Amino acid sequence: MPIITRLKAGQRDPTRVNLYLDDQFAFSLSAEVVISQSLKVGLNLTTLELTTLRSMGEEERLLAKILNFLSYRPRSRREVEDRLKKYLYKQDNQATTIASILERLEKLNYIDDLEFATWFVESRMNHSPRSTRLLTSELIQKGIDRSTISQVLASFANNSQALTTLINKKSHLQEDKLISHLARRGFSYSEIKDALSKKAE
């Protein structure tokens, strides 16, 4: 059986520990795993223990990468799952590893589709207003279910308010260009004409 001959803190990341078996580098683990598994120099590892530790090490590495992915902005569960699939492309244990990491992230409140959808809609409404139809389509693409979308959209401005905000922001545009711009934001022609008529009154 292989024996642990060295445990050395990583130079780039001191929270990682490099594990050496029979004086040869084997793989790295988080310090948390090393402590929880009571790993120490001189410990003999069975094949099963070694396989388990390798899997734990890989999951910890992926978790660190995903946490970095989440650090830039909130993500939906599907976005995280899709990124994990890229990291685990063609690996045999892909589904099991992804399910385990997603479960850990949800327990730690790093992913929450309701919070993500709320942030997404609020961001759009504040910086780039658009119709509820377009918002719904964008959120569906992010993997958000319709009940969550309905719940979130009910708390924000309706179409007419978003449309009025956009018209005021783009009032410098000629009418035909303004109509095209509003249409690209998901508003129907009838909604646009109605809003423009009310503004002209």
Short mmCIF file of all heavy atoms in Angstrom, two decimals, residues 16 30 32-33 36 55-64 66-67 70 77 80 84 96-112:
data_model
loop_
_atom_site.label_atom_id
_atom_site.label_comp_id
_atom_site.label_asym_id
_atom_site.label_seq_id
_atom_site.Cartn_x
_atom_site.Cartn_y
_atom_site.Cartn_z
N ARG A 16 -4.17 24.94 0.10
CA ARG A 16 -4.05 23.63 -0.53
C ARG A 16 -2.82 22.91 0.01
O ARG A 16 -1.80 23.54 0.34
CB ARG A 16 -3.93 23.76 -2.06
CG ARG A 16 -5.05 24.52 -2.73
CD ARG A 16 -6.31 23.72 -2.80
NE ARG A 16 -6.17 22.54 -3.64
CZ ARG A 16 -7.15 21.66 -3.83
NH1 ARG A 16 -8.32 21.81 -3.21
NH2 ARG A 16 -6.97 20.62 -4.61
N SER A 30 -7.49 20.18 -0.21
CA SER A 30 -7.67 21.35 0.65
C SER A 30 -7.22 20.99 2.06
O SER A 30 -7.25 19.81 2.45
CB SER A 30 -9.14 21.79 0.66
OG SER A 30 -9.93 20.84 1.35
N GLU A 32 -8.77 21.57 4.63
CA GLU A 32 -9.95 21.06 5.32
C GLU A 32 -10.09 19.56 5.17
O GLU A 32 -10.39 18.84 6.13
CB GLU A 32 -11.20 21.75 4.76
CG GLU A 32 -12.51 21.33 5.42
CD GLU A 32 -13.71 22.00 4.79
OE1 GLU A 32 -13.54 22.87 3.93
OE2 GLU A 32 -14.84 21.63 5.17
N VAL A 33 -9.83 19.06 3.96
CA VAL A 33 -9.92 17.62 3.71
C VAL A 33 -8.81 16.88 4.46
O VAL A 33 -9.04 15.82 5.05
CB VAL A 33 -9.85 17.31 2.19
CG1 VAL A 33 -9.68 15.81 1.96
CG2 VAL A 33 -11.10 17.81 1.49
N SER A 36 -9.93 16.76 8.05
CA SER A 36 -11.12 15.93 8.28
C SER A 36 -10.83 14.44 8.08
O SER A 36 -11.45 13.59 8.73
CB SER A 36 -12.25 16.36 7.34
OG SER A 36 -11.94 16.08 5.99
N SER A 55 -10.87 11.75 -5.63
CA SER A 55 -12.18 12.31 -5.98
C SER A 55 -12.48 13.57 -5.17
O SER A 55 -12.98 14.57 -5.69
CB SER A 55 -13.29 11.28 -5.76
OG SER A 55 -13.13 10.17 -6.60
N MET A 56 -12.14 13.50 -3.87
CA MET A 56 -12.36 14.66 -3.01
C MET A 56 -11.48 15.83 -3.44
O MET A 56 -11.92 16.98 -3.45
CB MET A 56 -12.08 14.29 -1.54
CG MET A 56 -13.06 13.29 -0.96
SD MET A 56 -12.60 12.75 0.71
CE MET A 56 -13.02 14.21 1.65
N GLY A 57 -10.27 15.52 -3.81
CA GLY A 57 -9.35 16.56 -4.27
C GLY A 57 -9.84 17.23 -5.53
O GLY A 57 -9.77 18.46 -5.67
N GLU A 58 -10.35 16.45 -6.47
CA GLU A 58 -10.87 16.98 -7.73
C GLU A 58 -12.09 17.85 -7.47
O GLU A 58 -12.25 18.92 -8.05
CB GLU A 58 -11.23 15.83 -8.67
CG GLU A 58 -11.89 16.25 -9.98
CD GLU A 58 -11.01 17.10 -10.87
OE1 GLU A 58 -9.80 17.25 -10.57
OE2 GLU A 58 -11.51 17.64 -11.87
N GLU A 59 -12.96 17.40 -6.57
CA GLU A 59 -14.17 18.17 -6.26
C GLU A 59 -13.80 19.50 -5.60
O GLU A 59 -14.39 20.54 -5.92
CB GLU A 59 -15.09 17.37 -5.34
CG GLU A 59 -16.42 18.07 -5.09
CD GLU A 59 -17.44 17.18 -4.40
OE1 GLU A 59 -17.60 16.02 -4.80
OE2 GLU A 59 -18.08 17.67 -3.44
N GLU A 60 -12.81 19.48 -4.71
CA GLU A 60 -12.38 20.72 -4.06
C GLU A 60 -11.79 21.69 -5.09
O GLU A 60 -12.01 22.90 -5.02
CB GLU A 60 -11.35 20.41 -2.98
CG GLU A 60 -11.89 19.65 -1.78
CD GLU A 60 -12.87 20.49 -0.98
OE1 GLU A 60 -12.64 21.70 -0.83
OE2 GLU A 60 -13.88 19.93 -0.50
N ARG A 61 -11.05 21.16 -6.03
CA ARG A 61 -10.44 22.00 -7.08
C ARG A 61 -11.53 22.66 -7.93
O ARG A 61 -11.47 23.85 -8.24
CB ARG A 61 -9.52 21.15 -7.96
CG ARG A 61 -8.76 21.95 -9.01
CD ARG A 61 -7.96 21.02 -9.92
NE ARG A 61 -8.84 20.22 -10.76
CZ ARG A 61 -9.38 20.66 -11.89
NH1 ARG A 61 -9.14 21.89 -12.31
NH2 ARG A 61 -10.15 19.87 -12.62
N LEU A 62 -12.53 21.87 -8.28
CA LEU A 62 -13.64 22.39 -9.09
C LEU A 62 -14.46 23.41 -8.32
O LEU A 62 -14.90 24.42 -8.86
CB LEU A 62 -14.54 21.24 -9.56
CG LEU A 62 -13.96 20.33 -10.63
CD1 LEU A 62 -14.84 19.10 -10.81
CD2 LEU A 62 -13.84 21.08 -11.95
N LEU A 63 -14.64 23.15 -7.04
CA LEU A 63 -15.40 24.07 -6.20
C LEU A 63 -14.70 25.43 -6.15
O LEU A 63 -15.35 26.48 -6.24
CB LEU A 63 -15.55 23.50 -4.79
CG LEU A 63 -16.35 24.35 -3.80
CD1 LEU A 63 -17.79 24.53 -4.28
CD2 LEU A 63 -16.36 23.70 -2.42
N ALA A 64 -13.38 25.41 -6.03
CA ALA A 64 -12.62 26.66 -6.00
C ALA A 64 -12.78 27.42 -7.31
O ALA A 64 -12.92 28.66 -7.32
CB ALA A 64 -11.14 26.36 -5.73
N ILE A 66 -15.33 27.23 -9.40
CA ILE A 66 -16.70 27.73 -9.50
C ILE A 66 -16.91 28.93 -8.59
O ILE A 66 -17.63 29.88 -8.94
CB ILE A 66 -17.71 26.61 -9.17
CG1 ILE A 66 -17.83 25.66 -10.36
CG2 ILE A 66 -19.07 27.16 -8.82
CD1 ILE A 66 -18.40 26.32 -11.62
N LEU A 67 -16.32 28.93 -7.41
CA LEU A 67 -16.44 30.08 -6.52
C LEU A 67 -15.82 31.32 -7.16
O LEU A 67 -16.33 32.44 -6.99
CB LEU A 67 -15.77 29.78 -5.17
CG LEU A 67 -16.52 28.77 -4.28
CD1 LEU A 67 -15.71 28.47 -3.02
CD2 LEU A 67 -17.91 29.27 -3.92
N LEU A 70 -18.31 32.54 -9.65
CA LEU A 70 -19.42 33.21 -8.97
C LEU A 70 -19.03 34.57 -8.39
O LEU A 70 -19.91 35.37 -8.04
CB LEU A 70 -19.96 32.33 -7.84
CG LEU A 70 -20.76 31.09 -8.25
CD1 LEU A 70 -20.92 30.14 -7.08
CD2 LEU A 70 -22.14 31.51 -8.78
N ARG A 77 -28.52 28.62 -11.41
CA ARG A 77 -28.09 27.24 -11.20
C ARG A 77 -27.65 26.62 -12.53
O ARG A 77 -26.65 25.92 -12.59
CB ARG A 77 -29.24 26.41 -10.60
CG ARG A 77 -28.84 25.02 -10.12
CD ARG A 77 -30.03 24.29 -9.52
NE ARG A 77 -29.64 23.12 -8.77
CZ ARG A 77 -29.36 21.93 -9.32
NH1 ARG A 77 -29.42 21.78 -10.62
NH2 ARG A 77 -29.02 20.91 -8.55
N VAL A 80 -24.15 27.74 -13.61
CA VAL A 80 -23.11 27.03 -12.85
C VAL A 80 -22.97 25.60 -13.36
O VAL A 80 -21.86 25.09 -13.55
CB VAL A 80 -23.43 27.03 -11.34
CG1 VAL A 80 -22.43 26.17 -10.57
CG2 VAL A 80 -23.41 28.46 -10.80
N LEU A 84 -19.67 23.81 -15.04
CA LEU A 84 -19.10 22.57 -14.51
C LEU A 84 -18.98 21.51 -15.61
O LEU A 84 -18.01 20.75 -15.64
CB LEU A 84 -19.96 22.04 -13.36
CG LEU A 84 -19.81 22.78 -12.02
CD1 LEU A 84 -20.91 22.34 -11.06
CD2 LEU A 84 -18.44 22.52 -11.41
N THR A 96 -22.29 12.78 -11.24
CA THR A 96 -22.19 12.65 -9.78
C THR A 96 -21.44 13.82 -9.17
O THR A 96 -21.86 14.39 -8.15
CB THR A 96 -21.46 11.35 -9.41
OG1 THR A 96 -22.18 10.24 -9.97
CG2 THR A 96 -21.38 11.18 -7.90
N THR A 97 -20.33 14.21 -9.79
CA THR A 97 -19.53 15.32 -9.28
C THR A 97 -20.30 16.63 -9.35
O THR A 97 -20.30 17.42 -8.40
CB THR A 97 -18.21 15.45 -10.07
OG1 THR A 97 -17.48 14.22 -9.99
CG2 THR A 97 -17.36 16.58 -9.53
N ILE A 98 -20.97 16.87 -10.47
CA ILE A 98 -21.76 18.10 -10.63
C ILE A 98 -22.87 18.18 -9.60
O ILE A 98 -23.08 19.22 -8.96
CB ILE A 98 -22.34 18.19 -12.06
CG1 ILE A 98 -21.21 18.45 -13.06
CG2 ILE A 98 -23.41 19.28 -12.15
CD1 ILE A 98 -21.65 18.44 -14.50
N ALA A 99 -23.58 17.08 -9.40
CA ALA A 99 -24.67 17.05 -8.43
C ALA A 99 -24.15 17.36 -7.02
O ALA A 99 -24.78 18.09 -6.25
CB ALA A 99 -25.36 15.69 -8.46
N SER A 100 -23.00 16.81 -6.69
CA SER A 100 -22.41 17.02 -5.36
C SER A 100 -22.02 18.48 -5.16
O SER A 100 -22.30 19.07 -4.11
CB SER A 100 -21.18 16.12 -5.19
OG SER A 100 -20.55 16.35 -3.95
N ILE A 101 -21.38 19.08 -6.17
CA ILE A 101 -20.95 20.47 -6.05
C ILE A 101 -22.15 21.42 -6.00
O ILE A 101 -22.18 22.36 -5.20
CB ILE A 101 -20.01 20.85 -7.21
CG1 ILE A 101 -18.69 20.07 -7.07
CG2 ILE A 101 -19.75 22.35 -7.23
CD1 ILE A 101 -17.73 20.28 -8.22
N LEU A 102 -23.16 21.16 -6.82
CA LEU A 102 -24.36 22.00 -6.81
C LEU A 102 -25.06 21.95 -5.45
O LEU A 102 -25.53 22.97 -4.94
CB LEU A 102 -25.32 21.57 -7.92
CG LEU A 102 -24.90 21.90 -9.35
CD1 LEU A 102 -25.88 21.28 -10.35
CD2 LEU A 102 -24.83 23.41 -9.57
N GLU A 103 -25.09 20.76 -4.88
CA GLU A 103 -25.72 20.61 -3.57
C GLU A 103 -24.95 21.42 -2.52
O GLU A 103 -25.56 22.09 -1.66
CB GLU A 103 -25.75 19.13 -3.17
CG GLU A 103 -26.44 18.88 -1.83
CD GLU A 103 -26.47 17.41 -1.44
OE1 GLU A 103 -25.95 16.57 -2.23
OE2 GLU A 103 -26.99 17.09 -0.36
N ARG A 104 -23.65 21.36 -2.56
CA ARG A 104 -22.83 22.11 -1.61
C ARG A 104 -23.03 23.62 -1.78
O ARG A 104 -23.16 24.35 -0.80
CB ARG A 104 -21.35 21.75 -1.78
CG ARG A 104 -21.01 20.34 -1.36
CD ARG A 104 -19.56 20.01 -1.61
NE ARG A 104 -18.66 20.79 -0.76
CZ ARG A 104 -17.34 20.69 -0.82
NH1 ARG A 104 -16.77 19.85 -1.67
NH2 ARG A 104 -16.58 21.42 -0.02
N LEU A 105 -23.08 24.07 -3.02
CA LEU A 105 -23.25 25.50 -3.30
C LEU A 105 -24.61 26.00 -2.83
O LEU A 105 -24.73 27.11 -2.31
CB LEU A 105 -23.08 25.77 -4.80
CG LEU A 105 -21.67 25.61 -5.35
CD1 LEU A 105 -21.69 25.70 -6.86
CD2 LEU A 105 -20.74 26.69 -4.78
N GLU A 106 -25.63 25.17 -3.01
CA GLU A 106 -26.98 25.56 -2.57
C GLU A 106 -27.05 25.63 -1.05
O GLU A 106 -27.67 26.55 -0.49
CB GLU A 106 -28.01 24.59 -3.13
CG GLU A 106 -28.25 24.78 -4.62
CD GLU A 106 -29.17 23.73 -5.22
OE1 GLU A 106 -29.31 22.65 -4.62
OE2 GLU A 106 -29.75 24.00 -6.29
N LYS A 107 -26.43 24.68 -0.38
CA LYS A 107 -26.43 24.69 1.09
C LYS A 107 -25.69 25.92 1.63
O LYS A 107 -26.04 26.45 2.69
CB LYS A 107 -25.77 23.41 1.62
CG LYS A 107 -26.65 22.17 1.49
CD LYS A 107 -25.96 20.95 2.07
CE LYS A 107 -26.85 19.72 1.99
NZ LYS A 107 -26.18 18.51 2.52
N LEU A 108 -24.68 26.37 0.90
CA LEU A 108 -23.90 27.54 1.31
C LEU A 108 -24.52 28.84 0.81
O LEU A 108 -23.97 29.92 1.04
CB LEU A 108 -22.46 27.42 0.78
CG LEU A 108 -21.62 26.28 1.36
CD1 LEU A 108 -20.33 26.10 0.55
CD2 LEU A 108 -21.28 26.57 2.82
N ASN A 109 -25.67 28.72 0.12
CA ASN A 109 -26.40 29.88 -0.42
C ASN A 109 -25.60 30.65 -1.48
O ASN A 109 -25.78 31.87 -1.64
CB ASN A 109 -26.81 30.84 0.70
CG ASN A 109 -27.83 30.21 1.65
OD1 ASN A 109 -28.76 29.54 1.22
ND2 ASN A 109 -27.64 30.43 2.94
N TYR A 110 -24.73 29.94 -2.20
CA TYR A 110 -24.00 30.58 -3.28
C TYR A 110 -24.84 30.62 -4.57
O TYR A 110 -24.57 31.45 -5.43
CB TYR A 110 -22.67 29.85 -3.55
CG TYR A 110 -21.58 30.24 -2.59
CD1 TYR A 110 -21.09 29.33 -1.65
CD2 TYR A 110 -21.04 31.51 -2.60
CE1 TYR A 110 -20.09 29.68 -0.77
CE2 TYR A 110 -20.03 31.87 -1.72
CZ TYR A 110 -19.57 30.96 -0.80
OH TYR A 110 -18.57 31.31 0.08
N ILE A 111 -25.79 29.72 -4.70
CA ILE A 111 -26.69 29.77 -5.84
C ILE A 111 -28.13 29.67 -5.34
O ILE A 111 -28.46 28.83 -4.52
CB ILE A 111 -26.41 28.66 -6.88
CG1 ILE A 111 -26.32 27.28 -6.23
CG2 ILE A 111 -25.15 28.96 -7.67
CD1 ILE A 111 -26.16 26.15 -7.25
N ASP A 112 -28.94 30.57 -5.86
CA ASP A 112 -30.35 30.65 -5.49
C ASP A 112 -31.05 31.32 -6.67
O ASP A 112 -30.84 32.51 -6.93
CB ASP A 112 -30.52 31.47 -4.21
CG ASP A 112 -31.97 31.55 -3.75
OD1 ASP A 112 -32.84 31.85 -4.59
OD2 ASP A 112 -32.23 31.31 -2.56
#
